[in-house]
Amino acid sequence: MKKIIVANWKMAPASFESAKKTFRAIKKTADKLHNVQTVVCPPVLYLRELGASVTGHRTVLGAQNAFWNEEEAHTGEHSPDMLVRVGAKYVILGHSERRALGESDVMIREKVRACLLSGLYVIACVGEKERDAHGGYTKFIANQVRQSLPKINMGKQLLGNIIVAYEPLWAIGKKAKRAASVEDAVEATIFIKKTLVGIFGKDAVNIPILYGGSVNDQNAGEFLEQESVNGLLVGRASLDPETFSRILTARKK
Ligand code: 13P
């Protein structure tokens, strides 16, 4: 199965020129890889122009957020359909940095619903703040999965557009001491898969589960070797095209 490797550029780079250069360099490597689906999620302002240089399906674009209501007045927001029109195929929703700004499970669920109905692939992020010795964090993750995904009657078609990213907060960003261990990631991804099957039935076994948090060119290969880890969500290391290219090609099997 193809691994899905997602670059979450967050609020970088500062200029469109730099975004264009980075995207082109990533695309050069990514377009050659038949066993990887590469998704670059730049700041929304860059989507349309980067979209103009997308060719084929191996390197595609995604957004980092979307709003759920297509109609009423919502200053500062952008709708799923607008994202589709500027070339986004994927959207990251419920990232912990957005949850920290006050985005609730209910809001995320509405966003997931609206984006799925617009035909986007949704990357729904879940992950615990910290790990306790008694496994309480698994309840937290299960609850996030349950609350962040809509209970619309999802046919296979919509279910096939859901991806879940496991991003433990303690492993994300500059302040993190380390990435999750491969064992932690495997355990959590299997647990999330079981939770999804519990919610949506057996078709949910095909929902890809990604790992994210301090992924780099040193640890990517080991994560990608794991059957239960269907791909990676990469922050900092995705802004350097050489490092990110090494991540894209780190898969040994
Ligand atoms: P880092 O890879 O910079 O730790 O960020 C992870 C992340 O938040 C990706 O969405």
mmCIF file of all heavy atoms in Angstrom, residues 39-63:
data_model
loop_
_atom_site.group_PDB
_atom_site.id
_atom_site.type_symbol
_atom_site.label_atom_id
_atom_site.label_comp_id
_atom_site.label_asym_id
_atom_site.label_seq_id
_atom_site.Cartn_x
_atom_site.Cartn_y
_atom_site.Cartn_z
ATOM 1 N N VAL A 39 1.732 14.950 -0.066
ATOM 2 C CA VAL A 39 0.757 16.044 0.060
ATOM 3 C C VAL A 39 1.464 17.224 0.724
ATOM 4 O O VAL A 39 1.980 17.094 1.831
ATOM 5 C CB VAL A 39 -0.447 15.620 0.945
ATOM 6 C CG1 VAL A 39 -1.490 16.739 0.996
ATOM 7 C CG2 VAL A 39 -1.066 14.313 0.464
ATOM 8 N N VAL A 40 1.505 18.350 0.042
ATOM 9 C CA VAL A 40 2.124 19.551 0.628
ATOM 10 C C VAL A 40 1.010 20.511 1.044
ATOM 11 O O VAL A 40 0.153 20.874 0.235
ATOM 12 C CB VAL A 40 3.083 20.226 -0.374
ATOM 13 C CG1 VAL A 40 3.644 21.522 0.219
ATOM 14 C CG2 VAL A 40 4.222 19.278 -0.749
ATOM 15 N N CYS A 41 1.032 20.894 2.325
ATOM 16 C CA CYS A 41 0.014 21.818 2.846
ATOM 17 C C CYS A 41 0.663 23.150 3.185
ATOM 18 O O CYS A 41 1.179 23.340 4.302
ATOM 19 C CB CYS A 41 -0.647 21.222 4.084
ATOM 20 S SG CYS A 41 -1.428 19.630 3.769
ATOM 21 N N PRO A 42 0.670 24.091 2.248
ATOM 22 C CA PRO A 42 1.281 25.393 2.486
ATOM 23 C C PRO A 42 0.273 26.329 3.156
ATOM 24 O O PRO A 42 -0.913 25.975 3.258
ATOM 25 C CB PRO A 42 1.579 25.875 1.062
ATOM 26 C CG PRO A 42 0.473 25.286 0.258
ATOM 27 C CD PRO A 42 0.074 23.988 0.914
ATOM 28 N N PRO A 43 0.695 27.520 3.564
ATOM 29 C CA PRO A 43 -0.286 28.522 3.996
ATOM 30 C C PRO A 43 -1.286 28.730 2.856
ATOM 31 O O PRO A 43 -0.909 28.675 1.671
ATOM 32 C CB PRO A 43 0.578 29.773 4.217
ATOM 33 C CG PRO A 43 1.928 29.230 4.550
ATOM 34 C CD PRO A 43 2.069 28.003 3.693
ATOM 35 N N VAL A 44 -2.524 28.975 3.191
ATOM 36 C CA VAL A 44 -3.598 28.998 2.192
ATOM 37 C C VAL A 44 -3.355 30.039 1.086
ATOM 38 O O VAL A 44 -3.728 29.838 -0.071
ATOM 39 C CB VAL A 44 -4.963 29.190 2.902
ATOM 40 C CG1 VAL A 44 -5.110 30.595 3.463
ATOM 41 C CG2 VAL A 44 -6.104 28.833 1.995
ATOM 42 N N LEU A 45 -2.649 31.124 1.447
ATOM 43 C CA LEU A 45 -2.369 32.182 0.467
ATOM 44 C C LEU A 45 -1.567 31.699 -0.729
ATOM 45 O O LEU A 45 -1.621 32.293 -1.798
ATOM 46 C CB LEU A 45 -1.561 33.303 1.131
ATOM 47 C CG LEU A 45 -2.299 34.229 2.064
ATOM 48 C CD1 LEU A 45 -1.310 35.161 2.749
ATOM 49 C CD2 LEU A 45 -3.334 35.026 1.283
ATOM 50 N N TYR A 46 -0.801 30.658 -0.536
ATOM 51 C CA TYR A 46 0.078 30.171 -1.610
ATOM 52 C C TYR A 46 -0.576 29.085 -2.472
ATOM 53 O O TYR A 46 -0.003 28.658 -3.475
ATOM 54 C CB TYR A 46 1.377 29.591 -1.030
ATOM 55 C CG TYR A 46 2.187 30.516 -0.151
ATOM 56 C CD1 TYR A 46 3.029 29.995 0.832
ATOM 57 C CD2 TYR A 46 2.150 31.902 -0.301
ATOM 58 C CE1 TYR A 46 3.796 30.821 1.638
ATOM 59 C CE2 TYR A 46 2.904 32.727 0.516
ATOM 60 C CZ TYR A 46 3.723 32.181 1.483
ATOM 61 O OH TYR A 46 4.477 32.998 2.278
ATOM 62 N N LEU A 47 -1.748 28.618 -2.037
ATOM 63 C CA LEU A 47 -2.323 27.442 -2.697
ATOM 64 C C LEU A 47 -2.541 27.619 -4.204
ATOM 65 O O LEU A 47 -2.121 26.792 -5.001
ATOM 66 C CB LEU A 47 -3.666 27.075 -2.054
ATOM 67 C CG LEU A 47 -3.628 26.064 -0.907
ATOM 68 C CD1 LEU A 47 -5.018 25.904 -0.310
ATOM 69 C CD2 LEU A 47 -3.088 24.718 -1.356
ATOM 70 N N ARG A 48 -3.199 28.722 -4.555
ATOM 71 C CA ARG A 48 -3.578 28.858 -5.958
ATOM 72 C C ARG A 48 -2.352 28.843 -6.876
ATOM 73 O O ARG A 48 -2.305 28.120 -7.862
ATOM 74 C CB ARG A 48 -4.378 30.136 -6.194
ATOM 75 C CG ARG A 48 -4.718 30.329 -7.657
ATOM 76 C CD ARG A 48 -5.417 31.643 -7.901
ATOM 77 N NE ARG A 48 -6.826 31.579 -7.582
ATOM 78 C CZ ARG A 48 -7.752 31.056 -8.382
ATOM 79 N NH1 ARG A 48 -7.411 30.549 -9.538
ATOM 80 N NH2 ARG A 48 -9.002 31.041 -8.037
ATOM 81 N N GLU A 49 -1.352 29.632 -6.496
ATOM 82 C CA GLU A 49 -0.191 29.712 -7.401
ATOM 83 C C GLU A 49 0.630 28.429 -7.407
ATOM 84 O O GLU A 49 1.132 28.017 -8.443
ATOM 85 C CB GLU A 49 0.656 30.927 -7.061
ATOM 86 C CG GLU A 49 -0.013 32.185 -7.576
ATOM 87 C CD GLU A 49 0.823 33.405 -7.361
ATOM 88 O OE1 GLU A 49 1.795 33.583 -8.113
ATOM 89 O OE2 GLU A 49 0.509 34.154 -6.427
ATOM 90 N N LEU A 50 0.751 27.787 -6.253
ATOM 91 C CA LEU A 50 1.458 26.497 -6.263
ATOM 92 C C LEU A 50 0.655 25.478 -7.063
ATOM 93 O O LEU A 50 1.223 24.627 -7.756
ATOM 94 C CB LEU A 50 1.684 25.980 -4.834
ATOM 95 C CG LEU A 50 2.659 26.776 -3.970
ATOM 96 C CD1 LEU A 50 2.818 26.108 -2.605
ATOM 97 C CD2 LEU A 50 4.027 26.902 -4.644
ATOM 98 N N GLY A 51 -0.655 25.599 -6.976
ATOM 99 C CA GLY A 51 -1.535 24.682 -7.706
ATOM 100 C C GLY A 51 -1.254 24.696 -9.194
ATOM 101 O O GLY A 51 -1.395 23.670 -9.867
ATOM 102 N N ALA A 52 -0.827 25.840 -9.689
ATOM 103 C CA ALA A 52 -0.562 25.963 -11.119
ATOM 104 C C ALA A 52 0.612 25.082 -11.546
ATOM 105 O O ALA A 52 0.735 24.718 -12.719
ATOM 106 C CB ALA A 52 -0.284 27.421 -11.466
ATOM 107 N N SER A 53 1.494 24.727 -10.596
ATOM 108 C CA SER A 53 2.622 23.882 -11.008
ATOM 109 C C SER A 53 2.415 22.398 -10.687
ATOM 110 O O SER A 53 3.314 21.588 -10.871
ATOM 111 C CB SER A 53 3.940 24.405 -10.411
ATOM 112 O OG SER A 53 3.802 24.667 -9.052
ATOM 113 N N VAL A 54 1.224 22.050 -10.197
ATOM 114 C CA VAL A 54 0.945 20.634 -9.944
ATOM 115 C C VAL A 54 0.673 19.926 -11.269
ATOM 116 O O VAL A 54 -0.077 20.410 -12.110
ATOM 117 C CB VAL A 54 -0.280 20.462 -9.007
ATOM 118 C CG1 VAL A 54 -0.739 19.014 -8.944
ATOM 119 C CG2 VAL A 54 0.041 20.966 -7.613
ATOM 120 N N THR A 55 1.336 18.797 -11.442
ATOM 121 C CA THR A 55 1.074 17.975 -12.629
ATOM 122 C C THR A 55 0.926 16.541 -12.130
ATOM 123 O O THR A 55 1.708 16.105 -11.302
ATOM 124 C CB THR A 55 2.263 18.018 -13.614
ATOM 125 O OG1 THR A 55 3.457 17.765 -12.858
ATOM 126 C CG2 THR A 55 2.376 19.344 -14.333
ATOM 127 N N GLY A 56 -0.047 15.824 -12.579
ATOM 128 C CA GLY A 56 -0.216 14.431 -12.149
ATOM 129 C C GLY A 56 -0.726 14.334 -10.722
ATOM 130 O O GLY A 56 -1.191 15.319 -10.129
ATOM 131 N N HIS A 57 -0.613 13.116 -10.147
ATOM 132 C CA HIS A 57 -1.245 12.856 -8.854
ATOM 133 C C HIS A 57 -0.264 12.532 -7.736
ATOM 134 O O HIS A 57 -0.671 12.323 -6.615
ATOM 135 C CB HIS A 57 -2.224 11.687 -8.996
ATOM 136 C CG HIS A 57 -3.302 11.958 -9.991
ATOM 137 N ND1 HIS A 57 -4.348 12.803 -9.713
ATOM 138 C CD2 HIS A 57 -3.464 11.545 -11.266
ATOM 139 C CE1 HIS A 57 -5.128 12.890 -10.770
ATOM 140 N NE2 HIS A 57 -4.612 12.133 -11.735
ATOM 141 N N ARG A 58 1.010 12.459 -8.050
ATOM 142 C CA ARG A 58 1.947 12.013 -7.001
ATOM 143 C C ARG A 58 2.256 13.097 -5.974
ATOM 144 O O ARG A 58 2.544 12.806 -4.827
ATOM 145 C CB ARG A 58 3.234 11.491 -7.646
ATOM 146 C CG ARG A 58 2.978 10.136 -8.285
ATOM 147 C CD ARG A 58 4.227 9.478 -8.758
ATOM 148 N NE ARG A 58 3.905 8.203 -9.379
ATOM 149 C CZ ARG A 58 4.722 7.509 -10.121
ATOM 150 N NH1 ARG A 58 5.950 7.961 -10.357
ATOM 151 N NH2 ARG A 58 4.352 6.366 -10.637
ATOM 152 N N THR A 59 2.260 14.343 -6.419
ATOM 153 C CA THR A 59 2.481 15.460 -5.488
ATOM 154 C C THR A 59 1.264 16.368 -5.566
ATOM 155 O O THR A 59 1.021 16.988 -6.608
ATOM 156 C CB THR A 59 3.719 16.285 -5.896
ATOM 157 O OG1 THR A 59 4.774 15.381 -6.228
ATOM 158 C CG2 THR A 59 4.159 17.224 -4.787
ATOM 159 N N VAL A 60 0.487 16.419 -4.492
ATOM 160 C CA VAL A 60 -0.713 17.251 -4.523
ATOM 161 C C VAL A 60 -0.707 18.205 -3.329
ATOM 162 O O VAL A 60 0.169 18.145 -2.466
ATOM 163 C CB VAL A 60 -2.008 16.396 -4.545
ATOM 164 C CG1 VAL A 60 -2.078 15.542 -5.795
ATOM 165 C CG2 VAL A 60 -2.108 15.543 -3.293
ATOM 166 N N LEU A 61 -1.712 19.092 -3.304
ATOM 167 C CA LEU A 61 -1.736 20.139 -2.284
ATOM 168 C C LEU A 61 -2.872 19.938 -1.282
ATOM 169 O O LEU A 61 -3.905 19.360 -1.612
ATOM 170 C CB LEU A 61 -1.911 21.501 -2.959
ATOM 171 C CG LEU A 61 -0.726 21.977 -3.803
ATOM 172 C CD1 LEU A 61 -1.126 23.194 -4.636
ATOM 173 C CD2 LEU A 61 0.478 22.313 -2.928
ATOM 174 N N GLY A 62 -2.657 20.468 -0.106
ATOM 175 C CA GLY A 62 -3.702 20.437 0.916
ATOM 176 C C GLY A 62 -3.717 21.747 1.674
ATOM 177 O O GLY A 62 -2.763 22.524 1.623
ATOM 178 N N ALA A 63 -4.831 21.990 2.381
ATOM 179 C CA ALA A 63 -4.946 23.185 3.224
ATOM 180 C C ALA A 63 -4.750 22.780 4.680
ATOM 181 O O ALA A 63 -4.713 21.591 4.996
ATOM 182 C CB ALA A 63 -6.325 23.803 3.021
#
